[in-house]
Amino acid sequence: MTTGKQNISATIRNYLVSRPHVRECLRRGLINYSALAREICNDRGLEQFDAVLKACRREQDRIQNRAPLEAPIAALLSRARLRVKTQIVVAIVAKEDSFTRFARLQEEIRSQEGDFHLIEGEKAVTIITNDGFVGLIRSTLKGAIKKISTSLTLVSLLFDKRLETTSGVVAHVYGLLAERGVNVLEEMSCWTELLMVIEERDLASTLECLKFGKEER
């Protein structure tokens, strides 16, 4: 059981780190402190309700004077470009000592003006490309394939360089999607570009919540 003023404060901050929307509401004074304290006690197995309640108020005092997140995030998102590509396939493949076959696959797909993204993990490699190359993936990688998912959509957000110095943008985007029940199946980023793979059925909801972007097909 967590005890002590310092430990309780640390527990609350850890709780809020994984819930940025709650933290932002706390900063703006939109939170019912008693309800939040009860939620934290239940979530973290604490019995010191009064101490947690006081710590929530202290945390609100600590963060309320910090610069609001909405303005810089909204400014950045309003200028972001949104690119959508349908009929996407995601292949999960066992990682190999040599990337020769992956390189050969990429070269062939690129020669046909296809899309190709590769994400290297500890034990597997994720390949994101177009549905039309499923046969090529199967013939090239054969038994190394663990799973292939088709009929997906790739949504790309292209920001300007301010993304590097603006905190909370990606968390905000994922929060918007989560509120509408959109599950991001795969994600990757490259400098000022954020790429997300979603189910095709979630495309309409995704476009609606990302109204700041401009769709390109």
Side-chain angles (χ1 to χ4, degrees), residues 75-162:
L76 187 61
L77 296 181
S78 67
R79 294 175 174 82
R81 290 184 294 133
L82 181 62
R83 180 175 298 144
V84 176
K85 294 186 178 181
T86 58
Q87 297 183 325
I88 293 296
V89 59
V90 171
I92 309 298
V93 185
K95 190 173 179 180
E96 301 180 355
D97 293 335
S98 172
F99 271 53
T100 301
R101 290 202 294 176
F102 298 131
R104 187 166 67 247
L105 179 65
Q106 179 184 23
E107 182 179 3
E108 179 60 30
I109 291 176
R110 293 294 191 190
S111 71
Q112 298 182 44
E113 300 184 349
D115 299 291
F116 186 92
H117 302 282
L118 185 147
I119 306 172
E120 180 184 356
E122 185 69 25
K123 296 182 179 180
V125 169
T126 298
I127 295 173
I128 302 173
T129 185
N130 312 96
D131 273 1
F133 296 110
V134 171
L136 179 61
I137 292 173
R138 293 190 185 279
S139 62
T140 302
L141 302 176
K142 300 178 180 178
I145 298 173
K146 293 180 175 291
K147 179 182 178 181
I148 292 182
S149 301
T150 59
S151 301
L152 304 176
T153 296
L154 177 63
V155 178
S156 303
L157 283 170
L158 293 85
F159 299 95
D160 60 42
K161 293 180 180 180
R162 289 177 299 167

Side-chain angles (χ1 to χ4, degrees), residues 8-74:
I8 289 178
S9 295
T11 297
I12 291 174
R13 290 176 187 177
N14 289 335
Y15 175 89
L16 294 174
V17 162
S18 61
R19 297 164 178 83
H21 56 292
V22 176
R23 186 179 185 279
E24 182 62 10
C25 287
L26 181 64
R27 184 192 66 78
R28 298 175 60 187
L30 302 177
I31 287 288
N32 181 310
Y33 294 104
S34 295
L36 177 60
R38 282 193 294 271
E39 172 66 22
I40 293 175
C41 286
N42 291 334
D43 184 77
R44 300 302 166 99
L46 302 176
E47 297 178 358
Q48 310 100 307
F49 173 81
D50 290 341
V52 172
L53 179 60
K54 291 178 181 178
C56 287
R57 294 184 184 278
R58 289 196 302 271
E59 184 65 14
Q60 193 269 346
D61 290 338
R62 189 181 74 85
I63 65 176
Q64 66 177 347
N65 294 323
R66 306 182 95 182
L69 295 176
E70 292 95 333
I73 291 178

